[in-house]
Amino acid sequence: MADSEKEKGSWPSDTLPPSWEWIPFKQAYNNVTSSHRKLKQKQYLQKGSIPVVDQGKELIGGYTENKDTLHESEPPCIVFGDHTRCVKFIDFNFAQGADGVKVLKPTELYTPEFSYRVLQAVSLPDKGYSRHFKFLKDTSFPLPPPNEQKRIANKIAILETKSQKTKQALDAAKPLLDKLRQSILASAFRGDLTAEWRKKNPDVEPASALLDRIRAERRKKWEENELAKMKAKGKEPQNDNWKSKYKEPEPVNTKGLPELPVGWCWAKLNELGQWSGGGTPRKSNPEYWDSGQIPWITPKDMKQITISDSIDKITPKAVKESSANIIPEGSILFVVRSGILRRILPIALNNIESTVNQDLKALALSIPSLNKYLLYNLISTERKIRYKCSKSGTTVESIDFDSLKLFAVPLASQKEGELILSKVETALANVNKIEKTILSNEMFLSILNQSILNKAFQGELVPQDPSDEPAAELLARINGQKPA
């Protein structure tokens, strides 16, 4: 392949200012990567006197006490990640990580700080986790006059400091938003957000009346399901004796529970609806998976509090012939077993008729219009559920299903519950707007930082000084030649 056809780095502009020159990699950098002083990641210590620099995103990957691993070059130097394309300015003694680390020293043509900015600015082909140093070696590099190099590096450092302060402020704000969300939910289900409303509406129907309706509807749906099962088997009930099989949920024992606002009551999850679970249809059977239409939800799909789709889908045949069950739209989903997410109980609202795998349980509410109220209610107390219902003695994080069914939640009257839901959704929407603004500003900062580098290497970040020694004269002087 001809040199002109080789893949290599590119720059914001192919045209340089008059006093600049292009130079090959070997004139810009010396490769001082150690072939024998390398430290494998499994040898890193969490603390130590010698920092280890590798190709990871963090400046320091770990530590060591082995002085024989100290890199031989005097700082400063630059570490380039052959796989990751990370660039780090190193002005301290360090040990070299083993995998994909290239240690570069600028030649006398470059000032150290400027040489670092050069490697930040060059755009290399993205080959994933393949190697990229070969593209760097085939790249030509811009050479400004030495004094201009210093001005550029200083200006970038000043602007970068301002950018970093803004980034730190944005980073600090994000965890505060999560705390604000939790505070909103906690206030809502303590009754704080609707305290004034209760004072103005003392005669509103109490939550106990709502719970009675929920219980009655729960029994009604159980009877409908049982009757449907009998008819599916060709049986007709001769009397109502079969209805006695229904088990009325035990009321909540309020001993030890916090006092609730006037008109509220406690309710077990088991009182509020019907539970169901699921399973995994045999993966080896294409008739269960090919051209599937019914969403099949697993813990990996529980990434948002409202699920409107899933990656995997199964066929009606899979539902008929496996342990998978149809979960009604509007059910509350609970992860009861998950070693992947490292969270015991993600909770979500299922906005689609679906199925679930064996790691989830679904609660279909007897009064479906209460689903969002219950969803936010449960999210507000997720840590308590995790603490009270955690299953011990398992190899993965798990929830004891029997304990979950008996978990008690505060129930407001229907009217107050509707008001709570409205206030919560309005408040959370405002928090989400703030979060979007933060993310937008982070994106803007990233674009701004790249724009600064682009301007620097188009010769537009700092003014050129006619009194500076041109790059052509610098090259001639160092090469012992007369300038052309």
Side-chain angles (χ1 to χ4, degrees):
M1 182 184 290
D3 286 349
S4 59
E5 297 175 350
K6 285 184 178 179
E7 287 192 279
K8 53 188 177 183
S10 60
W11 300 93
S13 174
D14 293 330
T15 305
L16 296 178
S19 58
W20 294 30
E21 295 289 335
W22 291 107
I23 58 173
F25 174 84
K26 63 183 180 181
Q27 278 192 283
Y29 298 95
N30 292 314
N31 182 2
V32 294
T33 306
S34 176
S35 60
H36 59 282
R37 295 191 178 192
K38 298 180 179 181
L39 201 69
K40 295 182 178 179
Q41 194 170 35
K42 63 183 180 182
Q43 297 174 300
Y44 292 6
L45 303 176
Q46 290 188 343
K47 294 181 180 179
S49 59
I50 303 171
V52 182
V53 179
D54 56 22
Q55 64 169 341
K57 289 184 179 180
E58 299 300 325
L59 179 64
I60 295 172
Y63 295 88
T64 182
E65 293 293 351
N66 185 356
K67 294 182 179 179
D68 291 337
T69 64
L70 271 172
H71 198 274
E72 295 144 314
S73 293
E74 286 292 320
C77 58
I78 299 158
V79 166
F80 173 79
D82 200 358
H83 298 293
T84 63
R85 295 178 296 159
C86 282
V87 180
K88 303 177 184 181
F89 184 76
I90 309 300
D91 57 359
F92 50 83
N93 292 314
F94 70 100
Q96 175 187 314
D99 182 37
V101 173
K102 297 296 181 182
V103 183
L104 308 176
K105 288 277 287 183
T107 66
E108 56 188 328
L109 294 176
Y110 275 160
T111 64
E113 291 80 5
F114 181 79
S115 70
Y116 166 61
R117 301 303 181 182
V118 171
L119 292 178
Q120 278 188 315
V122 65
S123 178
L124 297 176
D126 185 356
K127 300 298 181 180
Y129 202 71
S130 182
R131 294 189 177 273
H132 296 83
F133 184 60
K134 57 189 175 184
F135 306 126
L136 206 60
K137 291 192 297 181
D138 289 328
T139 301
S140 295
F141 290 82
L143 177 66
N147 287 337
E148 189 171 349
Q149 292 182 33
K150 294 175 184 177
R151 293 197 300 273
I152 289 172
N154 288 338
K155 184 67 173 180
I156 293 175
I158 292 169
L159 295 174
E160 186 180 69
T161 299
K162 293 180 180 179
S163 176
Q164 286 175 343
K165 286 181 179 179
T166 304
K167 178 71 164 60
Q168 288 168 0
L170 294 174
D171 287 343
K174 284 188 285 188
L176 295 178
L177 293 182
D178 288 335
K179 290 182 179 179
L180 179 56
R181 288 187 180 98
Q182 286 298 321
S183 177
I184 290 167
L185 293 174
S187 297
F189 297 102
R190 283 196 308 261
D192 296 354
L193 297 185
T194 46
E196 288 301 316
W197 182 89
R198 284 194 303 277
K199 289 179 183 178
K200 295 176 182 178
N201 297 272
D203 298 326
V204 71
E205 179 188 71
S208 56
L210 171 60
L211 184 56
D212 287 342
R213 288 199 299 277
I214 292 172
R215 279 173 162 262
E217 191 63 28
R218 183 183 189 274
R219 175 162 194 149
K220 178 184 174 184
K221 290 189 175 181
W222 178 87
E223 291 178 357
E224 289 173 351
N225 290 338
E226 289 299 304
L227 193 58
K229 289 177 185 177
M230 285 188 280
K231 289 183 175 180
K233 295 177 181 178
K235 297 179 180 179
E236 285 289 341
Q238 301 301 311
N239 51 48
D240 288 342
N241 291 343
W242 61 274
K243 294 182 181 180
S244 62
K245 295 179 181 179
Y246 178 76
K247 292 182 180 180
E248 195 73 49
E250 291 290 328
V252 175
N253 180 355
T254 59
K255 184 179 179 180
L257 293 174
E259 185 177 349
L260 293 176
V262 175
W264 291 34
C265 71
W266 290 100
K268 293 177 183 176
L269 291 180
N270 210 32
E271 295 180 84
L272 302 181
Q274 297 290 335
W275 292 92
S276 58
T280 302
R282 203 164 58 248
K283 293 279 188 178
S284 59
N285 190 338
E287 292 184 330
Y288 291 168
W289 298 93
D290 290 355
S291 303
Q293 306 124 16
I294 305 168
W296 181 71
I297 298 171
T298 72
K300 66 180 172 56
D301 302 309
M302 302 276 282
K303 296 174 182 176
Q304 296 179 334
I305 64 171
T306 302
I307 298 176
S308 58
D309 202 358
S310 71
I311 297 172
D312 299 308
K313 292 180 172 61
I314 62 175
T315 62
K317 183 179 178 69
V319 176
K320 185 178 180 180
E321 298 179 1
S322 77
S323 56
N325 299 300
I326 295 294
I327 307 300
E329 177 185 342
S331 298
I332 306 291
L333 304 183
F334 301 80
V335 175
V336 293
R337 181 180 180 276
S338 176
I340 301 171
L341 298 181
R342 297 187 180 181
R343 291 182 66 204
I344 293 177
L345 192 70
I347 305 167
L349 176 66
N350 185 21
N351 260 5
I352 46 172
E353 186 178 82
S354 68
T355 58
V356 298
N357 82 342
Q358 60 276 7
D359 295 331
L360 279 78
K361 295 293 183 183
L363 177 61
L365 300 189
S366 299
I367 300 182
S369 60
L370 296 176
N371 56 16
K372 279 196 174 181
Y373 171 88
L374 182 61
L375 174 70
Y376 289 121
N377 197 332
L378 290 165
I379 292 173
S380 74
T381 190
E382 185 179 328
R383 290 182 182 177
K384 189 179 291 185
I385 299 173
R386 190 181 299 140
Y387 173 73
K388 285 184 171 290
C389 305
S390 179
K391 184 186 290 184
S392 59
T394 57
T395 56
V396 295
E397 296 172 325
S398 301
I399 287 293
D400 180 66
F401 183 43
D402 289 333
S403 299
L404 180 63
K405 289 189 288 186
L406 301 179
F407 187 81
V409 294
L411 192 65
S413 70
Q414 189 155 357
K415 284 189 177 180
E416 188 173 355
E418 290 168 358
L419 181 60
I420 287 171
L421 179 59
S422 175
K423 286 181 174 289
V424 164
E425 291 194 321
T426 299
L428 293 181
N430 289 333
V431 176
N432 290 341
K433 285 180 183 178
I434 296 171
E435 185 173 55
K436 285 182 180 179
T437 301
I438 290 174
L439 294 174
S440 176
N441 285 335
E442 285 183 330
M443 188 179 297
F444 172 76
L445 272 182
S446 177
I447 294 171
L448 178 62
N449 291 338
Q450 188 59 51
S451 176
I452 290 168
L453 288 171
N454 289 346
K455 279 185 170 292
F457 290 92
Q458 288 170 326
E460 298 173 359
L461 189 63
V462 298
Q464 275 86 47
D465 187 340
S467 64
D468 286 342
E469 179 187 34
E473 292 184 11
L474 170 66
L475 284 169
R477 176 167 54 81
I478 288 175
N479 294 332
Q481 301 172 351
K482 291 184 179 180

